[in-house]
Amino acid sequence: MGVVQRVKKPTTRKGKKFLEERGPKIIENTKQSLFFYGRSSSETLKRCMKDLYHLKKPDAYPLKGKHDVLPMENSTPIETSSKKYDSSLFFFGSHTKKRPNNIIIGRLHDHQILDMAEFGVENFKSLDEFEGEKFPLGMKPCLLFAGPQFELDPTLKRIKNLLVDAFQREPVSSLRLQGLEHVIMFTCHENKIHMRSYRISLKKSGSRTPRVELEEIGPSMDLSVRRTKLASDDLFNSACKKPKELKVKTVKNIKRDVFGSKLGRVHIRQQDIKKLQTRKMKGLKKTRKERASHKKPTKSQPSNKIDN
């Protein structure tokens, strides 16, 4: 027989507020990421993890020390840490002779492992190796993906979805052109994903549309796909299911144009134009002859005159 765990309800206002923040919400908070290392690491891996942590700040939490964890073999420690720190993303770095400069990027659903992808870092260049201004803290990057493999290969298509989930921030409803200052581009070529980071500069072009220039600011790396552990289609679809409160209810015969104006369509029966009530004007009144021609014949009525 299994052990039944006793669920203790909070008795203080602070405890209730803490559980409400950890509980499910209709609109989720910004996803937090955990950064930690395995039993051994290299100098290249440390600089790579440091730059990735800089990309994710302030929505990231580093775990100190070394951890005897093998995510691909046993994911229980990661699920425990995810529940403790209320995070749904993790970046794990390790370095061994068989898999040097190894990074595992994964995500969780309901504090259970959903997807994991293992990459080997090659041709790494850190942020310090590039000159010029860097992106400010908390900047929302523009994510670009190039390569037909991201759409043709099912595994790379799921990896693309994982990378979007890992590097995006809170969603926005509108965007200002001057707000685009940072671009992260992923190019897939020969089973390798080339990651590059650029700063956007808007220059005068003599027209309303500015001239766009890209300046590489780092980090720069080539990621070779080693191992993956992806969720089934049914589990992935259930994790992506939207709550009923966020679904937009369709209203018949009502739509919006490109400017956001609300347009409605009214259906009426077919009408006789001759019987339509128009504006009462002297020029539109019928003459005596027209009224006499349209007047229905009446039955002969007895005369009320009295003969003398």
Side-chain angles (χ1 to χ4, degrees):
M1 296 178 63
V3 179
V4 179
Q5 295 183 354
R6 181 185 175 186
V7 179
K8 186 178 180 181
K9 295 183 179 181
T11 56
T12 61
R13 181 177 176 274
K14 187 176 180 181
K16 292 179 181 179
K17 187 177 180 181
F18 177 80
L19 290 182
E20 288 178 358
E21 292 178 355
R22 290 292 185 94
K25 301 179 181 63
I26 298 177
I27 300 177
E28 295 182 352
N29 300 332
T30 305
K31 295 183 178 180
Q32 302 293 322
S33 303
L34 288 179
F35 283 79
F36 56 103
Y37 296 93
R39 286 173 289 187
S40 60
S41 59
S42 62
E43 187 63 28
T44 302
L45 183 64
K46 289 180 180 180
R47 292 188 293 124
C48 179
M49 291 284 286
K50 180 181 178 181
D51 289 352
L52 292 177
Y53 172 72
H54 188 69
L55 285 174
K56 291 291 297 179
K57 286 194 309 185
D59 304 322
Y61 186 83
L63 298 181
K64 298 180 180 180
K66 298 179 180 180
H67 303 267
D68 190 7
V69 180
L70 298 175
M72 288 294 180
E73 284 74 20
N74 183 18
S75 58
T76 304
I78 298 178
E79 294 173 353
T80 305
S81 301
S82 168
K83 192 172 183 179
K84 179 180 179 181
Y85 297 101
D86 193 21
S87 60
S88 55
L89 296 167
F90 70 90
F91 291 76
F92 176 79
S94 62
H95 178 78
T96 59
K97 185 177 181 181
K98 186 178 181 181
R99 295 184 178 89
N101 300 326
N102 197 58
I103 287 182
I104 297 178
I105 302 176
R107 57 183 170 183
L108 301 95
H109 171 64
D110 196 16
H111 303 297
Q112 301 292 326
I113 290 293
L114 185 67
D115 293 326
M116 286 190 295
E118 188 179 62
F119 304 100
V121 180
E122 302 174 1
N123 303 324
F124 174 74
K125 292 183 180 180
S126 65
L127 285 165
D128 300 333
E129 298 182 32
F130 294 90
E131 297 180 355
E133 298 180 3
K134 308 302 179 184
F135 49 86
L137 181 66
M139 172 64 65
K140 301 181 183 66
C142 176
L143 302 179
L144 298 179
F145 291 85
Q149 293 87 347
F150 281 124
E151 299 297 331
L152 299 177
D153 192 345
T155 302
L156 290 175
K157 188 175 182 179
R158 184 69 66 84
I159 291 176
K160 173 187 174 182
N161 188 276
L162 174 63
L163 292 175
V164 170
D165 213 9
F167 289 97
Q168 74 171 357
R169 296 188 183 271
E170 62 273 7
V172 293
S173 57
S174 59
L175 186 64
R176 189 170 60 97
L177 186 61
Q178 286 75 13
L180 288 175
E181 301 181 17
H182 183 210
V183 174
I184 301 177
M185 186 168 184
F186 299 92
T187 305
C188 185
H189 179 66
E190 295 181 356
N191 201 29
K192 286 188 179 182
I193 300 175
H194 307 277
M195 179 181 172
R196 302 292 184 268
S197 178
Y198 302 95
R199 183 170 62 88
I200 300 177
S201 300
L202 302 178
K203 305 293 184 179
K204 294 182 179 179
S205 61
S207 61
R208 188 175 181 181
T209 305
R211 180 169 55 90
V212 180
E213 292 185 358
L214 298 179
E215 180 185 357
E216 190 171 1
I217 58 175
S220 172
M221 67 188 80
D222 298 338
L223 302 175
S224 59
V225 182
R226 289 176 176 171
R227 291 184 295 176
T228 58
K229 191 175 182 180
L230 307 177
S232 61
D233 294 337
D234 295 337
L235 180 59
F236 181 75
N237 293 333
S238 63
C240 297
K241 189 176 181 180
K242 292 184 178 180
K244 295 181 180 180
E245 292 80 1
L246 293 180
K247 292 183 179 179
V248 180
K249 295 182 179 179
T250 57
V251 183
K252 291 184 178 179
N253 305 322
I254 293 180
K255 62 180 181 179
R256 294 185 180 272
D257 57 6
V258 293
F259 302 103
S261 302
K262 192 175 182 180
L263 304 177
R265 179 182 295 178
V266 180
H267 296 273
I268 58 176
R269 297 180 180 179
Q270 188 174 4
Q271 297 181 350
D272 188 1
I273 300 178
K274 297 180 180 180
K275 296 181 179 180
L276 288 177
Q277 178 64 44
T278 57
R279 186 177 179 183
K280 295 182 179 181
M281 296 175 61
K282 290 184 178 180
L284 298 177
K285 287 185 177 180
K286 295 180 180 180
T287 61
R288 290 184 178 180
K289 292 182 179 181
E290 290 177 347
R291 289 198 299 268
S293 62
H294 290 288
K295 190 176 181 180
K296 295 181 180 180
T298 58
K299 296 181 179 180
S300 59
Q301 297 178 357
S303 178
N304 296 328
K305 294 182 180 181
I306 302 174
D307 297 337
N308 294 330

